[in-house]
Each structure stands twice: as C-alpha cells, then as structure tokens.
Amino acid sequence: MYSLVDVHKRYGLRTVALRKLNLDIRPGEFFVLYGPAGAGKSTILNLLAGLTRPTSGDVRRDGASITHLPPERRNAAMAFENYALYSHLTVAENLAFPLRAAGVRPAEIEVRVKSVAGVLGIPHVLDRRPGFLSGGQRQRVALGRAIIRPADIYLLDEPIGHLDAKLRHRMRAELKALAVDMKATIVFTTTSSKEALALGDRIGILNAGRLEQAGTAAELYDRPANTFVASFVGDPPMSFLNVSVRPAEGGPALVTGDGQSIGKAPSGALGRGGLKAGVRSTALTLVDPGTPGALAGQVEVVEHLGHSSIAVVLSGTDHIQVLLPADARLRPGERVGLRVDPTRLHIFADETALATDAA
Amino acid sequence: MARITARRLIKRYGAFQAVHGIDFDVADGEFVAILGPSGCGKSSTMRMIAGLESISDGQILFDGIPVNAVRARDRNVAMSFENYALYAPITVYENIAFPLRSAGKDAASIDRAVRSVAEKMELTALLGLKPGALSSGQAQRVGLARALVRKPAVFLMDEPISHLDTRQRYRMRRFIKSIHQEFGHTMIYVTHDQEEALALADRVMVMSDGMIQQMATPQEVYSRPSNAFVAGFVGEPPINFLDYADADDSGLTIEGNRVALTEPLKARVRLIGPRGLAAIRPHFLRLGAESPVRLQGRGFITEELQDHNEIFVDVGSVRVAIVTPPGLRVARGEAVTISVDPEHLLLFPADVKVKEHADEL
C-alpha cells in the first residue's frame, strides 16, 4: 500500500499544488486520479515516483516512509503525458530500453517487445523512430515502455488522452484487460469522466490540490460528497436547482427560487436556505406543462447527439439538462413540465459548485 | 448576416493540395459545423472564408457576391479562437464595447448592445472587472461577447471549447447555441469533436482528405451516413465495423456467422457485391437471442459507466462494443450471443482506408 500522509506541495513561493492531502493506493488496484487541469494529478504521480518531494508531509509504502528514497530505488514505471521518448532510437529499442537496463536476455526482450506492441496495436511501426510517428502512436509507445517491465507501481499520466475518439475507446478496454491480467498497482490520471468510471477500481476526485472524495465509481456516482464531485462524475453532468426548505402541508418541502415545490425536505432541515438539489439528466421525465407536481420550465436549447438528445430547460434561474430519445421533437422557447424522481435527488449544503461555476 | 457559398473551392500549399474543389452553401442565419480529423482541410476552408488564406482556385461568395479579392478586414467576419486577446487595462464592459466604439456607434446603442450580449453570456456581474480578475472560462466568454456584439456577416469559430472539461463544455455549448438562437448570425464552427458538431449545428459538413464526405442534419449523418468514413467518425461510442463476405439474397457471412437480410439490405448487397463492410452502432446491439440476426462471440471486458454499461465482445477477430443498461455483465471468455437490430445494420463497400485509419493515428 502506498500512502500520501498530510502532503502539502508548493512550487516556488505562491503556487500550491497539493493541500494537506491524504490518500491510500491499495495493492493491485487500478486507481484513477480525476479532476480538471491544474488539480494536482501529475504532482501526485511525481511524488509517488520520487521525481519530486513534498513540501511537508510524508510518502509511505506499507507504512514506512519513502519520501527521501531516490526514484531508481522505488521500482516505479511511469508513462509521461509528453511521451519523453528517445528520438535516436527506434520504437522497438525504446520499448526494449527498460528491459536492457534490467539485464533481461535479448531473446526474452524480443518476445516481450512483440507482445506489448501487439496489445497496443503498433507492431507495424517497430522499426520507425519517434519523429516518424503520429501523436497517437508516440503515446502508445510511451505507454508500452512503462508497462513492458515488472514494476511495483505503474504511474500513467493521461496515457491515452491524445488518441482520437475511436482509438481511445478501444485502448480503454485493452488497458482495463491488461490491468486485470497483470494484477498490477496502477495510478492513472485523466480529465474524462467516462474514462475514470470505466477504468477505476477506485477513483480520487481532485480539485485545486484537494482530494474531494475517493471511492468506487458507484459510490461517487450515487453518493457524491459535494457538488463538485456531483458535477464532475457523469456525462452529461448533474444539474442543480437552488432550493430552500419551507413549511408545507404534509411536512417541510424543498422549494425552488421561484416558489415551486420539488418534494419533501430531509427531516430536520426546516428553515434552511441556500441548498442545492442535484438531479441527473436520467432522473427527469418530460411531461405536459402544468402537470401537477411537475417543475415548470421553458426549453432553452436542444442538442441532437445521435442516439439521444439533450434539452436544457430553464426553470426559474436554474438550467436543467434532460436526456431525451433521439427523435424528441422539442423547440426552443416551448413550455414544458419536468417530473423529478424524488428518490434520485441529491441535496447539498456546500458551496464548491459555486466556486467552480465561476471557472 | 450573409449566405456563404463555395464553388469548386481549392487550396494548394505548394505542390500539396489541402482542399480539392468543394462546393457548399450555408444559408443566411444557419449554423454549420465543419467536422473532421486533423489534416482534413476544415481549417483551411474556414480560413479561406475568413480571408486569412488566399483561394487557390474556385470562389467564395457572400450573398452571391465573390469575395476572393476582398481583404479579411473588409469581409465583416468575426473569428474566435481558443485564445482570446483581451485588453488588460480596461474593464470587461469596455472590452466588449471596443469594436462598437471603433465603428463610431453612439453611446446609448453601445450600452444597449453590451448589456444585452452580457446578459446572454451571464457576464452582467463581471462587467466592471478587468481581464486579470477573470477565470479562463470567463475570459473566453468575454472574448466571444466582444466578437458577437458587432453583428458580423458571419461568425467563424475554430475549436473554441476543445480544451475545456466536460462540465464547462456543456455550459459553453449552451451559451453558443442560445446566442445563435438569439442573434441569428450565420455561424461556421470547426471541430474534430463529433459530439460538439452534432450538439450545436443545424447541419454538419463532414470532411476528410480535403473533400466533403457528407453535409446534412445531425440526425442524418448519424442515422444515414453516406459512407464508411462518416459512419466511423460520427457516434459515441464509435460504430463497430465487421467485414462480410458471401453476400447474396440469402444473406451474408460475418466472422463465420450467417446473417439473414431485410429487403433494403438485399438491395444494398446487389449494389455493393458479395464482399463489403458491415457497420452497426453499439446502441443497436443487444445481448441475447431475441433477433433472428445474431452473432456469436466471447466476452472481453465489461465497463460500468453507471448510467449504462459498455461491453466488449470478441466476434471472430473483431472486438465489438455493445451499449447495455446498467447491471448487465459478461465475463472474460464467456460465450455470448449478440442480437443485431437489422433496421440499423449499415453496409458499405469494403474501404481499406477506414480500417487502417485507426492504426495510423
């Protein structure tokens, strides 16, 4: 088990990359670090690899500090986002490099290089130098060089982020299968919600150097700790209604800014204002305007996405995304009703979403 | 606002021809997305419309009038890029007002225009700030607002939101689309992202290798792609391609599976011949034997994306993706029957380029 304990990381005097971060990476798990650019994902990989040291706090392995252990003694394999390939070596030589350095026999090296090149779909470019490869091919070579040798931990910095959509989708499945086969401990960074959910045994959500929540895909999706996590996990993202709790017949109700009730409030919440009710696009049903109990709104835009459509509905001052069938015939400006599945409402009292709204 | 027409438009860079004599029309007030991979000629096409690139051959017309010889700044074209150069010493308000002041508009109409566009872009609260105090997303919205406010004949956007995260992208899409609905500019939007193109545009112009592959509504390029390239480039997750052989009226063979054909597909087979490329979207495949059109395979990986699952199954030598409701799983190596919705099976002439495309990226 790898642990970051109270890790604080500053670059220079002003740039804070990580703030009092605590994180455990369990043996054999595929751990995804997910968050926007600049959240601190690459810094964590560099700390685990030993390429940088925390400003304060400790990096541990199985409880013992490795904070001051040099990179060459950590047996960590890393794939860098900017590839960092040797330009004077062929693809085959780049892939073989870590094995030669470890003294593996040439015959064994050849077998392993061919096998990795096959998995990554690059066997036909083994004789080329990196300068003659496309960006997607270079990225796969960088990934191959990391996974080709046995290591205690694999640190993969957006290793499929530069591939085109088709290849990215295919490589995602390959990588997941490979991880299952290798039973390796992998830390993987991404800015894609789909990639995080598809790959991670557990996912850590980072925001401005803080770990907002760590858990399985299902935990993050069903029980997001705050509005930042809620809005970052899932595509399309969760929509939020600004609500407060008001007394009503049958108990306190959640009421929107323009006075519409969207359901019962959690017990003991009476008198609270400034809450956010999060709702996923799949938890809403479109009904006729004026349907009792439904939220009234007006269609702002309709997006046709091939297999489905997304309508953005303005209700009061809240913009709500609704997932619809591909053949939905809605027009901007049309008045609609939205029925909210009350069992799928997420109530938040935090302000993290407001902070990210400004971004 | 203007109608844009291209007639046999060609762009050459020395001996290399980037755009091969394309024809298209963009109606007044229409939103067209030019979609394609890098190097397909989409940016060259847009830059010729803007006047930033010379036209090697052919014509571009605004409202029927050739503009080949008209300089960029005289075409009344607004362009936005990923990076916006805002004027740092002046406020957001003054930044947005700048093009109107340069055009000599009176103060009252400037104020009206600035406030109207700022409200639409949710910038009203920021009007008094200077650019240094803005986040990158806010700065981008100010840049867009400044480009919009002068009511150009055509508004050109080149990958304006490709660097944003999922949530910001959805927001910017909403802004861009509602602005188009509000102001009705003719808009041409260049992107490599099929979801953006489908979400935003009235019509999508799919390009590859300097040629237009299809120009149609988002629903059409998705449901009735004109060729295998369009089928493969549009749709998420990407469409599955499988070679077929021995095709005749009795059916066709895909990776050892004999598949019966509907009448429209028989007609396609007569046109294409005994061998070709079958394509089926992951959304139109199901686990189980409910359809008479079936494929046999072995499970590879199940991805649980919470609101749905994506299951990869090896059918012969081809890895096929299937979208299923949450909860369904397939184990590695498990024998699986896949049902194909024949309504959504597409047949194309065998296209070597499409198959190799993925490897060369």
Side-chain angles (χ1 to χ4, degrees), chain A residues 6-20:
Chain A
D6 288 334
V7 165
H8 202 79
K9 178 64 185 175
R10 235 180 19 232
Y11 291 111
L13 286 173
R14 304 179 71 186
T15 310
V16 181
L18 298 175
R19 300 161 199 271
K20 287 278 174 216

Side-chain angles (χ1 to χ4, degrees), chain A residues 134 169 172 174 235 303, chain B residues 170 173 303 310 319 361:
Chain A
S134 68
H169 189 247
R172 199 170 82 189
E174 291 286 355
D235 183 357
E303 300 184 338
Chain B
Y170 273 94
R173 261 161 42 185
E303 295 182 340
E310 285 177 26
R319 186 153 294 148
L361 286 161

Side-chain angles (χ1 to χ4, degrees), chain B residues 181-200:
Chain B
Q181 284 165 191
E182 177 90 6
F183 297 99
H185 296 97
T186 305
M187 287 184 113
I188 299 180
Y189 185 102
V190 169
T191 180
H192 69 279
D193 185 317
Q194 62 92 30
E195 183 174 299
E196 264 170 45
L198 296 187
L200 287 169

